[in-house]
Amino acid sequence: MNRDEMDGKKDNLAGRIKEAAGTVTGNAELEREGADQRAGGALKEGFGRAKRKVGEALEDLGEDVKR
């Protein structure tokens, strides 16, 4: 897991907490802010996952070329 994936998971969790807090308190702005943060975190996590997969594929290709 790389930094982008970890940061994305953190933002996703923080967004879920804010969104839930906004729902419970009836604060639509906090709920919306949490939803936006959650979505951004999911996007960042997906980007990090893709970046890691590309790196792993390049490493595998490098190993194949060495043989």
Side-chain angles (χ1 to χ4, degrees):
M1 186 175 295
N2 61 32
R3 180 171 298 282
D4 288 325
E5 286 178 284
M6 289 175 29
D7 287 346
K9 283 186 182 291
K10 182 186 71 167
D11 287 347
N12 192 332
L13 179 61
R16 286 181 186 276
I17 291 169
K18 279 184 186 177
E19 191 173 9
T23 300
V24 168
T25 61
N27 185 337
E29 185 177 337
L30 184 61
E31 187 176 350
R32 198 169 31 258
E33 183 181 321
D36 289 346
Q37 186 174 5
R38 180 178 48 80
L43 186 65
K44 186 184 282 187
E45 184 179 353
F47 172 74
R49 187 177 305 115
K51 193 165 82 171
R52 178 173 47 85
K53 294 287 186 182
V54 167
E56 289 172 355
L58 289 174
E59 285 178 8
D60 291 344
L61 181 62
E63 291 295 321
D64 289 344
V65 169
K66 285 181 183 178
R67 295 179 198 175

